[in-house]
Amino acid sequence: MRSLLSVEGVSVRLDGSVALRDLNLHVGEGEVVAVVGPNGSGKTTLLRTIAGFLKPSVGRVVFDGADVTPLRPSERSRLGIRLVPSEMEVFPAMSLLENLRVSWEGGARRETFDEALERIVQTFPWIEGRLRVRAGNLSGGERRMLAMAMALLSSPKLLMIDEPSSGLSPKSLSAVLGSISSLSSSGLSVLLSEQNVDAALRVSKRVVVLRSGVKLAEYEVSDRAEVAALIRRTIWG
Amino acid sequence: MLDVLIDGLSNGLQLSLIAAGMTVVHGIAGVLNLSHGETVVVATVTASVLLSLGTPVPLALLLALCSTIPVGLAVWAISRTVSGFDERTRGVLGLVMTLGLALTLHGSLVYLFPTANYSLVLGTFQLEVWGFFVRFSSLVALALSVAALAFLYFLLGRTRFGRSVRATFQNRDLAEAMGIDVERTALMTVLLASLLAGLSGLIRGLTVPVEPSRGMELTVLSLVVSVAGGMRSVPGTVAAGVVVGLVNSLLAFFVGTYLTYLAVLLSAAILLRLTGAGRWAW
Protein backbone atom coordinates (compact mmCIF):
# COMPACT_ATOMS: atom_id res chain seq x y z
CA MET A 1 0.00 0.00 0.00
CA ARG A 2 1.39 3.41 -0.99
CA SER A 3 2.04 5.69 1.98
CA LEU A 4 -0.02 8.89 1.88
CA LEU A 5 1.13 10.39 5.17
CA SER A 6 4.43 9.91 7.00
CA VAL A 7 5.23 11.47 10.33
CA GLU A 8 8.99 11.14 10.66
CA GLY A 9 10.74 11.54 14.01
CA VAL A 10 8.43 14.35 15.13
CA SER A 11 8.85 16.00 18.54
CA VAL A 12 6.61 18.85 19.68
CA ARG A 13 7.09 21.12 22.69
CA LEU A 14 4.11 22.84 24.31
CA ASP A 15 4.62 25.46 27.04
CA GLY A 16 8.16 24.25 27.63
CA SER A 17 7.34 20.56 28.05
CA VAL A 18 7.55 17.77 25.50
CA ALA A 19 4.09 16.87 24.15
CA LEU A 20 5.29 14.45 21.46
CA ARG A 21 8.63 12.67 21.44
CA ASP A 22 10.33 11.22 18.34
CA LEU A 23 7.08 9.97 16.86
CA ASN A 24 6.90 7.93 13.66
CA LEU A 25 3.64 7.06 11.97
CA HIS A 26 2.35 6.39 8.50
CA VAL A 27 -1.06 6.14 6.90
CA GLY A 28 -1.51 4.35 3.59
CA GLU A 29 -3.90 5.27 0.81
CA GLY A 30 -7.44 4.13 1.71
CA GLU A 31 -6.35 3.01 5.18
CA VAL A 32 -8.09 3.79 8.49
CA VAL A 33 -5.62 4.22 11.36
CA ALA A 34 -6.57 5.02 14.94
CA VAL A 35 -4.37 6.69 17.54
CA VAL A 36 -5.49 5.63 21.01
CA GLY A 37 -4.33 6.63 24.44
CA PRO A 38 -5.51 8.21 27.70
CA ASN A 39 -6.19 11.91 28.22
CA GLY A 40 -3.04 13.99 27.73
CA SER A 41 -1.25 11.30 25.75
CA GLY A 42 -0.68 13.62 22.78
CA LYS A 43 -3.37 12.41 20.37
CA THR A 44 -4.83 15.84 19.65
CA THR A 45 -1.33 17.35 19.55
CA LEU A 46 -0.40 14.83 16.88
CA LEU A 47 -3.43 15.64 14.73
CA ARG A 48 -2.91 19.41 15.14
CA THR A 49 0.75 18.98 14.17
CA ILE A 50 -0.18 17.09 11.00
CA ALA A 51 -2.82 19.76 10.23
CA GLY A 52 -0.16 22.49 10.66
CA PHE A 53 -1.44 24.24 13.80
CA LEU A 54 1.64 23.16 15.76
CA LYS A 55 5.21 23.16 14.47
CA PRO A 56 7.49 20.24 15.34
CA SER A 57 10.75 21.17 17.06
CA VAL A 58 12.33 18.13 15.37
CA GLY A 59 11.18 15.91 12.50
CA ARG A 60 8.96 16.41 9.50
CA VAL A 61 5.55 15.64 8.08
CA VAL A 62 5.47 14.21 4.56
CA PHE A 63 2.16 14.17 2.68
CA ASP A 64 1.66 12.66 -0.75
CA GLY A 65 5.44 12.60 -1.28
CA ALA A 66 6.06 16.26 -0.34
CA ASP A 67 7.46 17.73 2.88
CA VAL A 68 4.59 19.87 4.21
CA THR A 69 6.25 20.81 7.52
CA PRO A 70 6.74 24.51 6.61
CA LEU A 71 3.18 24.91 5.26
CA ARG A 72 0.38 26.72 7.10
CA PRO A 73 -2.87 24.88 7.99
CA SER A 74 -4.82 26.50 5.15
CA GLU A 75 -2.17 25.43 2.63
CA ARG A 76 -2.19 21.86 3.96
CA SER A 77 -5.97 21.86 3.83
CA ARG A 78 -5.91 22.84 0.17
CA LEU A 79 -3.50 19.94 -0.49
CA GLY A 80 -6.11 17.54 0.91
CA ILE A 81 -5.45 17.24 4.66
CA ARG A 82 -8.69 17.93 6.53
CA LEU A 83 -9.05 18.00 10.33
CA VAL A 84 -12.39 17.57 12.11
CA PRO A 85 -11.69 18.96 15.60
CA SER A 86 -13.28 17.48 18.71
CA GLU A 87 -14.94 20.73 19.81
CA MET A 88 -16.34 23.77 18.05
CA GLU A 89 -16.25 21.84 14.81
CA VAL A 90 -18.78 23.96 12.86
CA PHE A 91 -19.55 27.67 12.44
CA PRO A 92 -22.57 27.93 14.78
CA ALA A 93 -24.03 31.22 13.51
CA MET A 94 -24.05 30.06 9.90
CA SER A 95 -26.63 27.82 8.23
CA LEU A 96 -25.70 24.27 7.24
CA LEU A 97 -25.60 25.41 3.62
CA GLU A 98 -23.15 28.21 4.44
CA ASN A 99 -20.99 25.87 6.52
CA LEU A 100 -20.80 23.46 3.59
CA ARG A 101 -20.12 26.25 1.10
CA VAL A 102 -17.28 27.67 3.23
CA SER A 103 -15.68 24.25 3.32
CA TRP A 104 -16.06 23.75 -0.44
CA GLU A 105 -14.61 27.20 -1.16
CA GLY A 106 -11.53 26.38 0.90
CA GLY A 107 -10.93 23.07 -0.84
CA ALA A 108 -9.56 21.93 -4.18
CA ARG A 109 -12.93 22.51 -5.95
CA ARG A 110 -12.58 19.67 -8.43
CA GLU A 111 -16.38 19.65 -8.87
CA THR A 112 -19.08 22.33 -8.65
CA PHE A 113 -20.66 23.05 -5.29
CA ASP A 114 -23.97 21.55 -6.40
CA GLU A 115 -22.26 18.34 -7.52
CA ALA A 116 -20.33 18.13 -4.24
CA LEU A 117 -23.50 18.77 -2.26
CA GLU A 118 -25.36 16.05 -4.13
CA ARG A 119 -22.54 13.62 -3.34
CA ILE A 120 -22.57 14.54 0.36
CA VAL A 121 -26.34 14.25 0.65
CA GLN A 122 -26.07 10.63 -0.47
CA THR A 123 -23.85 9.91 2.56
CA PHE A 124 -25.74 12.21 4.99
CA PRO A 125 -29.37 12.32 3.68
CA TRP A 126 -30.71 14.17 6.77
CA ILE A 127 -28.73 17.28 5.76
CA GLU A 128 -30.84 17.95 2.66
CA GLY A 129 -33.96 19.00 4.54
CA ARG A 130 -32.09 21.17 7.01
CA LEU A 131 -29.81 23.24 4.83
CA ARG A 132 -31.29 26.56 6.10
CA VAL A 133 -31.01 25.60 9.80
CA ARG A 134 -28.32 27.30 11.87
CA ALA A 135 -25.52 24.87 12.71
CA GLY A 136 -25.61 26.05 16.34
CA ASN A 137 -29.11 24.55 16.65
CA LEU A 138 -27.97 20.99 15.81
CA SER A 139 -27.48 18.22 18.38
CA GLY A 140 -23.94 17.08 19.25
CA GLY A 141 -24.14 14.05 16.94
CA GLU A 142 -25.56 16.11 14.07
CA ARG A 143 -22.82 18.72 14.49
CA ARG A 144 -20.19 15.97 14.36
CA MET A 145 -21.67 14.55 11.18
CA LEU A 146 -22.01 18.02 9.66
CA ALA A 147 -18.32 18.58 10.44
CA MET A 148 -17.48 15.34 8.63
CA ALA A 149 -19.72 16.31 5.72
CA MET A 150 -17.92 19.69 5.55
CA ALA A 151 -14.56 17.97 5.46
CA LEU A 152 -15.68 15.44 2.83
CA LEU A 153 -17.24 18.11 0.61
CA SER A 154 -13.76 19.37 -0.20
CA SER A 155 -12.72 15.90 -1.48
CA PRO A 156 -9.78 15.48 0.91
CA LYS A 157 -7.16 12.79 0.55
CA LEU A 158 -6.70 12.41 4.30
CA LEU A 159 -9.49 12.94 6.83
CA MET A 160 -8.40 13.36 10.45
CA ILE A 161 -11.11 13.11 13.10
CA ASP A 162 -10.30 14.10 16.65
CA GLU A 163 -12.26 12.03 19.20
CA PRO A 164 -15.21 11.01 16.97
CA SER A 165 -17.01 9.42 19.95
CA SER A 166 -16.65 12.45 22.22
CA GLY A 167 -19.94 13.55 23.79
CA LEU A 168 -22.10 11.37 21.55
CA SER A 169 -25.04 9.18 22.48
CA PRO A 170 -24.67 5.49 21.53
CA LYS A 171 -27.05 6.03 18.58
CA SER A 172 -25.11 9.05 17.28
CA LEU A 173 -21.83 7.20 17.81
CA SER A 174 -23.07 4.28 15.69
CA ALA A 175 -24.08 6.70 12.94
CA VAL A 176 -20.69 8.46 13.01
CA LEU A 177 -18.74 5.17 13.02
CA GLY A 178 -20.94 3.87 10.20
CA SER A 179 -20.07 6.96 8.17
CA ILE A 180 -16.35 6.42 8.81
CA SER A 181 -16.62 2.78 7.68
CA SER A 182 -18.36 3.76 4.46
CA LEU A 183 -15.70 6.43 3.83
CA SER A 184 -12.88 3.94 4.17
CA SER A 185 -14.57 1.61 1.70
CA SER A 186 -14.67 4.49 -0.79
CA GLY A 187 -10.85 4.72 -0.70
CA LEU A 188 -10.38 7.73 1.58
CA SER A 189 -7.54 7.61 4.13
CA VAL A 190 -8.69 8.28 7.68
CA LEU A 191 -6.67 9.01 10.83
CA LEU A 192 -8.67 8.99 14.08
CA SER A 193 -7.67 9.96 17.57
CA GLU A 194 -9.80 8.15 20.11
CA GLN A 195 -9.90 7.51 23.86
CA ASN A 196 -12.63 4.94 23.45
CA VAL A 197 -10.63 1.84 22.42
CA ASP A 198 -13.71 -0.21 21.42
CA ALA A 199 -15.00 2.57 19.16
CA ALA A 200 -11.56 2.90 17.54
CA LEU A 201 -11.33 -0.82 16.88
CA ARG A 202 -14.78 -0.94 15.24
CA VAL A 203 -13.55 1.07 12.23
CA SER A 204 -9.76 0.92 12.04
CA LYS A 205 -7.38 -1.56 10.44
CA ARG A 206 -4.34 -0.46 12.45
CA VAL A 207 -3.98 1.12 15.91
CA VAL A 208 -1.14 3.22 17.31
CA VAL A 209 -0.92 3.46 21.11
CA LEU A 210 0.32 6.70 22.66
CA ARG A 211 1.08 7.60 26.26
CA SER A 212 2.73 10.82 27.50
CA GLY A 213 3.65 11.78 23.94
CA VAL A 214 5.51 8.54 23.24
CA LYS A 215 4.42 5.80 20.83
CA LEU A 216 4.27 2.62 22.88
CA ALA A 217 3.06 0.14 20.28
CA GLU A 218 1.34 -0.39 16.96
CA TYR A 219 -1.09 -3.24 16.23
CA GLU A 220 -2.85 -4.57 13.14
CA VAL A 221 -6.52 -5.11 14.01
CA SER A 222 -7.33 -8.74 13.27
CA ASP A 223 -9.14 -9.98 16.37
CA ARG A 224 -10.78 -6.98 18.07
CA ALA A 225 -11.04 -8.47 21.57
CA GLU A 226 -7.44 -9.64 21.51
CA VAL A 227 -6.12 -6.26 20.28
CA ALA A 228 -8.27 -4.42 22.85
CA ALA A 229 -6.72 -6.51 25.63
CA LEU A 230 -3.24 -5.87 24.23
CA ILE A 231 -3.86 -2.11 24.08
CA ARG A 232 -5.12 -2.00 27.68
CA ARG A 233 -2.11 -3.98 28.85
CA THR A 234 0.21 -1.65 26.91
CA ILE A 235 -1.31 1.49 28.41
CA TRP A 236 -2.02 0.38 31.97
CA GLY A 237 0.58 -2.35 32.39
CA MET B 1 -38.74 67.57 13.15
CA LEU B 2 -38.50 65.16 10.19
CA ASP B 3 -35.18 66.80 9.38
CA VAL B 4 -33.93 65.93 12.88
CA LEU B 5 -35.11 62.33 12.55
CA ILE B 6 -33.49 61.94 9.14
CA ASP B 7 -30.26 63.50 10.39
CA GLY B 8 -30.36 61.24 13.44
CA LEU B 9 -30.94 58.16 11.33
CA SER B 10 -28.24 59.17 8.88
CA ASN B 11 -25.87 59.96 11.75
CA GLY B 12 -26.66 56.57 13.30
CA LEU B 13 -26.04 54.70 10.07
CA GLN B 14 -22.71 56.50 9.64
CA LEU B 15 -21.78 55.53 13.19
CA SER B 16 -22.81 51.97 12.32
CA LEU B 17 -20.45 51.97 9.36
CA ILE B 18 -17.54 53.11 11.53
CA ALA B 19 -18.42 50.77 14.41
CA ALA B 20 -19.01 47.76 12.12
CA GLY B 21 -15.41 48.18 10.99
CA MET B 22 -14.25 48.32 14.60
CA THR B 23 -16.27 45.18 15.41
CA VAL B 24 -14.93 43.05 12.55
CA VAL B 25 -11.34 44.15 13.11
CA HIS B 26 -11.65 43.23 16.78
CA GLY B 27 -13.19 39.86 15.89
CA ILE B 28 -10.70 38.93 13.20
CA ALA B 29 -7.44 40.75 13.89
CA GLY B 30 -7.88 40.54 17.68
CA VAL B 31 -7.22 44.26 18.20
CA LEU B 32 -9.63 46.83 19.58
CA ASN B 33 -8.60 49.66 17.30
CA LEU B 34 -8.59 52.96 19.21
CA SER B 35 -7.34 54.83 16.14
CA HIS B 36 -10.49 54.05 14.17
CA GLY B 37 -12.00 57.53 14.60
CA GLU B 38 -8.76 59.11 13.41
CA THR B 39 -9.09 57.08 10.19
CA VAL B 40 -12.35 58.97 9.57
CA VAL B 41 -10.53 62.26 10.09
CA VAL B 42 -7.60 61.29 7.85
CA ALA B 43 -10.12 60.92 5.00
CA THR B 44 -11.97 64.17 5.76
CA VAL B 45 -8.77 66.21 6.18
CA THR B 46 -7.40 64.80 2.90
CA ALA B 47 -10.65 65.66 1.13
CA SER B 48 -10.68 69.14 2.65
CA VAL B 49 -7.07 69.88 1.61
CA LEU B 50 -7.54 68.48 -1.91
CA LEU B 51 -10.80 70.39 -2.44
CA SER B 52 -9.16 73.61 -1.24
CA LEU B 53 -6.43 73.04 -3.85
CA GLY B 54 -9.08 72.89 -6.56
CA THR B 55 -9.04 69.13 -7.15
CA PRO B 56 -12.23 67.93 -8.86
CA VAL B 57 -14.70 66.61 -6.26
CA PRO B 58 -14.85 62.94 -7.45
CA LEU B 59 -11.05 62.69 -7.59
CA ALA B 60 -10.65 64.40 -4.21
CA LEU B 61 -13.13 61.99 -2.60
CA LEU B 62 -11.50 58.96 -4.22
CA LEU B 63 -8.03 60.02 -3.03
CA ALA B 64 -9.46 60.78 0.41
CA LEU B 65 -10.79 57.23 0.61
CA CYS B 66 -7.42 55.86 -0.52
CA SER B 67 -5.69 57.91 2.21
CA THR B 68 -7.24 55.56 4.81
CA ILE B 69 -5.33 52.57 3.41
CA PRO B 70 -1.96 53.44 5.05
CA VAL B 71 -3.78 53.77 8.42
CA GLY B 72 -5.35 50.35 7.83
CA LEU B 73 -1.93 48.90 7.03
CA ALA B 74 -0.54 50.39 10.27
CA VAL B 75 -3.38 48.75 12.26
CA TRP B 76 -2.74 45.45 10.49
CA ALA B 77 0.99 45.74 11.30
CA ILE B 78 0.04 46.27 14.96
CA SER B 79 -2.22 43.20 14.89
CA ARG B 80 0.62 41.14 13.40
CA THR B 81 3.05 42.45 16.01
CA VAL B 82 0.84 41.44 18.93
CA SER B 83 -0.47 38.19 17.43
CA GLY B 84 2.22 36.03 19.05
CA PHE B 85 1.10 36.89 22.59
CA ASP B 86 -1.63 35.26 24.67
CA GLU B 87 -5.14 36.71 24.39
CA ARG B 88 -4.98 39.00 27.43
CA THR B 89 -1.55 40.44 26.60
CA ARG B 90 -2.56 40.82 22.97
CA GLY B 91 -5.66 42.79 24.01
CA VAL B 92 -3.71 45.19 26.22
CA LEU B 93 -0.83 45.64 23.76
CA GLY B 94 -3.28 46.20 20.91
CA LEU B 95 -5.10 48.89 22.91
CA VAL B 96 -1.88 50.67 23.85
CA MET B 97 -0.40 50.54 20.36
CA THR B 98 -3.56 51.68 18.56
CA LEU B 99 -3.96 54.45 21.15
CA GLY B 100 -0.40 55.49 20.33
CA LEU B 101 -1.28 55.51 16.64
CA ALA B 102 -4.43 57.53 17.40
CA LEU B 103 -2.52 60.16 19.39
CA THR B 104 0.16 60.41 16.69
CA LEU B 105 -2.45 60.88 13.96
CA HIS B 106 -4.49 63.30 16.08
CA GLY B 107 -1.49 65.45 16.96
CA SER B 108 -0.20 65.50 13.38
CA LEU B 109 -3.56 66.33 11.82
CA VAL B 110 -4.47 69.06 14.31
CA TYR B 111 -0.95 70.60 14.12
CA LEU B 112 -0.55 70.41 10.33
CA PHE B 113 -4.13 71.09 9.22
CA PRO B 114 -5.88 72.96 12.07
CA THR B 115 -8.48 74.54 9.76
CA ALA B 116 -9.07 71.62 7.40
CA ASN B 117 -12.78 71.35 8.23
CA TYR B 118 -14.46 69.12 5.69
CA SER B 119 -17.92 69.74 4.38
CA LEU B 120 -19.43 69.01 1.02
CA VAL B 121 -22.16 71.52 0.18
CA LEU B 122 -24.81 70.26 -2.21
CA GLY B 123 -26.78 73.49 -2.12
CA THR B 124 -29.12 74.75 0.56
CA PHE B 125 -32.43 73.90 -1.05
CA GLN B 126 -35.03 71.89 0.80
CA LEU B 127 -37.57 69.32 -0.27
CA GLU B 128 -41.08 68.98 1.11
CA VAL B 129 -41.75 65.48 2.46
CA TRP B 130 -45.15 64.77 4.09
CA GLY B 131 -45.55 68.46 4.88
CA PHE B 132 -42.08 68.79 6.43
CA PHE B 133 -39.13 70.54 4.86
CA VAL B 134 -36.00 68.40 4.66
CA ARG B 135 -32.57 69.46 3.49
CA PHE B 136 -31.62 67.81 0.22
CA SER B 137 -28.11 67.08 1.55
CA SER B 138 -29.64 65.21 4.53
CA LEU B 139 -31.57 62.94 2.19
CA VAL B 140 -28.48 62.34 0.07
CA ALA B 141 -26.46 61.51 3.22
CA LEU B 142 -29.18 59.11 4.36
CA ALA B 143 -29.40 57.44 0.94
CA LEU B 144 -25.61 57.06 0.73
CA SER B 145 -25.44 55.64 4.28
CA VAL B 146 -28.17 53.10 3.47
CA ALA B 147 -26.41 52.19 0.22
CA ALA B 148 -23.05 51.76 1.99
CA LEU B 149 -24.61 49.50 4.65
CA ALA B 150 -26.49 47.52 1.99
CA PHE B 151 -23.18 47.03 0.19
CA LEU B 152 -21.57 45.88 3.45
CA TYR B 153 -24.48 43.49 4.06
CA PHE B 154 -24.14 42.07 0.55
CA LEU B 155 -20.37 41.79 0.85
CA LEU B 156 -20.43 39.99 4.20
CA GLY B 157 -23.60 37.98 3.63
CA ARG B 158 -23.46 36.92 0.01
CA THR B 159 -19.88 36.74 -1.20
CA ARG B 160 -17.03 34.28 -0.74
CA PHE B 161 -14.96 36.99 0.94
CA GLY B 162 -17.83 37.70 3.34
CA ARG B 163 -18.20 34.03 4.25
CA SER B 164 -14.44 33.86 4.88
CA VAL B 165 -14.70 36.93 7.14
CA ARG B 166 -17.62 35.51 9.11
CA ALA B 167 -16.02 32.08 9.36
CA THR B 168 -12.73 33.57 10.63
CA PHE B 169 -14.73 35.80 12.99
CA GLN B 170 -16.56 32.81 14.50
CA ASN B 171 -13.72 30.30 14.72
CA ARG B 172 -10.28 31.23 13.42
CA ASP B 173 -8.72 27.76 13.78
CA LEU B 174 -11.61 26.00 12.09
CA ALA B 175 -11.59 28.56 9.27
CA GLU B 176 -7.92 27.84 8.72
CA ALA B 177 -8.57 24.09 8.82
CA MET B 178 -11.19 24.67 6.10
CA GLY B 179 -8.52 26.17 3.83
CA ILE B 180 -9.26 29.85 4.44
CA ASP B 181 -6.16 32.06 4.37
CA VAL B 182 -6.97 33.80 7.63
CA GLU B 183 -4.00 36.20 7.46
CA ARG B 184 -5.08 37.48 4.07
CA THR B 185 -8.68 37.68 5.27
CA ALA B 186 -7.55 39.72 8.29
CA LEU B 187 -5.59 42.14 6.09
CA MET B 188 -8.51 42.60 3.69
CA THR B 189 -10.89 43.12 6.62
CA VAL B 190 -8.72 45.79 8.24
CA LEU B 191 -8.48 47.63 4.91
CA LEU B 192 -12.24 47.30 4.38
CA ALA B 193 -12.85 48.73 7.87
CA SER B 194 -10.57 51.70 7.10
CA LEU B 195 -12.35 52.38 3.81
CA LEU B 196 -15.75 52.20 5.53
CA ALA B 197 -14.57 54.64 8.20
CA GLY B 198 -13.31 57.02 5.51
CA LEU B 199 -16.53 56.69 3.53
CA SER B 200 -18.55 57.41 6.65
CA GLY B 201 -16.55 60.61 7.25
CA LEU B 202 -17.06 61.76 3.67
CA ILE B 203 -20.82 61.15 3.92
CA ARG B 204 -20.93 62.91 7.27
CA GLY B 205 -19.51 66.06 5.67
CA LEU B 206 -22.76 66.41 3.70
CA THR B 207 -24.68 67.36 6.84
CA VAL B 208 -22.13 68.69 9.37
CA PRO B 209 -18.56 69.97 9.02
CA VAL B 210 -16.02 67.39 10.22
CA GLU B 211 -13.17 69.01 12.11
CA PRO B 212 -9.64 67.55 12.36
CA SER B 213 -10.02 67.24 16.15
CA ARG B 214 -13.13 64.97 16.02
CA GLY B 215 -11.28 61.66 15.76
CA MET B 216 -11.23 60.66 19.42
CA GLU B 217 -14.91 61.52 19.86
CA LEU B 218 -15.77 59.31 16.89
CA THR B 219 -13.62 56.50 18.32
CA VAL B 220 -15.46 56.69 21.65
CA LEU B 221 -18.89 56.79 19.98
CA SER B 222 -18.11 53.84 17.71
CA LEU B 223 -16.69 51.94 20.67
CA VAL B 224 -19.94 52.56 22.57
CA VAL B 225 -21.95 51.38 19.55
CA SER B 226 -19.75 48.33 19.03
CA VAL B 227 -20.03 47.30 22.70
CA ALA B 228 -23.78 47.96 22.79
CA GLY B 229 -24.17 45.81 19.67
CA GLY B 230 -22.51 42.88 21.38
CA MET B 231 -18.88 43.33 20.20
CA ARG B 232 -19.09 40.20 18.04
CA SER B 233 -22.08 41.04 15.90
CA VAL B 234 -22.27 43.22 12.81
CA PRO B 235 -26.11 43.34 12.69
CA GLY B 236 -26.11 44.16 16.43
CA THR B 237 -23.61 46.94 15.80
CA VAL B 238 -25.74 48.42 13.01
CA ALA B 239 -28.88 48.34 15.18
CA ALA B 240 -27.02 49.93 18.10
CA GLY B 241 -25.63 52.62 15.77
CA VAL B 242 -29.12 53.59 14.64
CA VAL B 243 -30.42 53.83 18.23
CA VAL B 244 -27.40 55.80 19.46
CA GLY B 245 -27.51 58.12 16.43
CA LEU B 246 -31.21 58.85 16.90
CA VAL B 247 -30.87 59.42 20.68
CA ASN B 248 -27.91 61.69 20.04
CA SER B 249 -29.65 63.84 17.44
CA LEU B 250 -33.04 64.02 19.16
CA LEU B 251 -31.58 64.99 22.52
CA ALA B 252 -29.23 67.53 20.97
CA PHE B 253 -32.26 69.12 19.28
CA PHE B 254 -34.74 69.03 22.17
CA VAL B 255 -32.57 69.24 25.30
CA GLY B 256 -29.10 70.40 24.33
CA THR B 257 -25.76 68.79 23.71
CA TYR B 258 -24.72 68.77 27.39
CA LEU B 259 -26.93 65.74 28.09
CA THR B 260 -26.43 63.82 24.87
CA TYR B 261 -23.36 61.80 25.79
CA LEU B 262 -24.87 60.73 29.09
CA ALA B 263 -28.01 59.64 27.23
CA VAL B 264 -25.95 57.89 24.56
CA LEU B 265 -24.13 55.89 27.23
CA LEU B 266 -27.40 55.11 28.99
CA SER B 267 -29.09 53.94 25.78
CA ALA B 268 -26.03 51.82 24.95
CA ALA B 269 -26.15 50.20 28.41
CA ILE B 270 -29.88 49.46 27.97
CA LEU B 271 -29.24 47.98 24.52
CA LEU B 272 -26.47 45.81 25.86
CA ARG B 273 -28.75 44.61 28.64
CA LEU B 274 -31.58 43.88 26.20
CA THR B 275 -29.59 42.16 23.49
CA GLY B 276 -26.85 40.42 25.44
CA ALA B 277 -23.33 40.34 24.04
CA GLY B 278 -23.06 38.35 20.84
CA ARG B 279 -26.70 37.29 20.62
CA TRP B 280 -26.84 38.45 17.02
CA ALA B 281 -23.61 36.75 16.00
CA TRP B 282 -23.45 36.63 12.23
Side-chain angles (χ1 to χ4, degrees), chain A residues 48 53 72-74 77-78 81-83 85 87-94 98 101-103 105-107 109 134 147 150-151, chain B residues 156-164 166-168 170-184 279-282:
Chain A
R48 287 180 65 79
F53 289 103
R72 287 185 291 148
S74 56
S77 174
R78 283 193 289 271
I81 301 176
R82 277 285 168 124
L83 172 66
E87 288 175 344
M88 297 168 67
E89 64 273 59
V90 297
F91 302 108
M94 285 185 178
E98 283 187 308
R101 193 176 273 280
V102 164
S103 180
E105 286 168 343
R109 287 189 278 169
R134 271 192 171 202
M150 287 163 68
Chain B
L156 291 181
R158 296 279 180 269
T159 66
R160 182 181 172 190
F161 168 70
R163 280 188 289 275
S164 297
R166 288 187 289 138
T168 308
Q170 288 178 42
N171 189 336
R172 190 185 174 94
D173 271 6
L174 183 63
E176 194 150 26
M178 293 285 138
I180 294 173
D181 186 341
V182 294
E183 294 301 337
R184 185 169 164 273
R279 179 180 293 181
W280 296 333
W282 199 24

Side-chain angles (χ1 to χ4, degrees), chain B residues 22-130:
Chain B
M22 187 180 253
T23 299
V24 286
V25 168
H26 179 249
I28 288 183
V31 168
L32 191 54
N33 178 15
L34 292 186
S35 68
H36 205 50
E38 301 301 335
T39 314
V40 179
V41 176
V42 165
T44 59
V45 165
T46 306
S48 169
V49 170
L50 289 174
L51 289 172
S52 70
L53 292 173
T55 312
V57 174
L59 181 62
L61 298 185
L62 185 65
L63 291 174
L65 268 184
C66 292
S67 70
T68 61
I69 290 175
V71 186
L73 288 174
V75 174
W76 183 70
I78 288 173
S79 80
R80 293 284 294 160
T81 306
V82 304
S83 65
F85 295 92
D86 63 84
E87 194 174 347
R88 179 179 290 218
T89 312
R90 188 169 67 228
V92 174
L93 279 178
L95 275 179
V96 171
M97 291 175 83
T98 56
L99 181 61
L101 177 64
L103 293 174
T104 307
L105 286 171
H106 181 84
S108 308
L109 291 170
V110 172
Y111 178 73
L112 295 171
F113 308 103
T115 57
N117 297 345
Y118 163 77
S119 62
L120 194 61
V121 180
L122 291 180
T124 53
F125 59 94
Q126 300 188 328
L127 298 173
E128 192 177 346
V129 181
W130 300 319

Side-chain angles (χ1 to χ4, degrees), chain B residues 5 57 62 76 82 84 126 147 149 164 169 172 194 205-206 218 230-231 240 256 262 269 274:
Chain B
L5 275 176
V57 174
L62 185 65
W76 183 70
V82 304
Q126 300 188 328
L149 275 170
S164 297
F169 197 104
R172 190 185 174 94
S194 298
L206 287 167
L218 289 170
M231 265 330 274
L262 184 63
L274 286 176

Side-chain angles (χ1 to χ4, degrees), chain B residues 1 4-13 15 221 224-225 228 239-271:
Chain B
M1 178 61 195
V4 178
L5 275 176
I6 286 176
D7 273 351
L9 192 57
S10 171
N11 182 24
L13 292 174
L15 267 181
L221 276 174
V224 167
V225 167
V242 170
V243 172
V244 167
L246 280 172
V247 168
N248 198 356
S249 294
L250 288 173
L251 275 175
F253 182 76
F254 286 113
V255 185
T257 51
Y258 64 97
L259 265 182
T260 54
Y261 285 111
L262 184 63
V264 161
L265 280 175
L266 194 63
S267 58
I270 292 169
L271 271 176

Side-chain angles (χ1 to χ4, degrees), chain A residues 5 38 81-82 96 99 113-114 148 155-156 159 173 198 228 232:
Chain A
L5 172 80
I81 301 176
R82 277 285 168 124
L96 270 63
N99 269 278
F113 176 68
D114 288 340
M148 282 170 47
S155 307
L159 179 64
L173 177 59
D198 295 325
R232 292 195 174 98

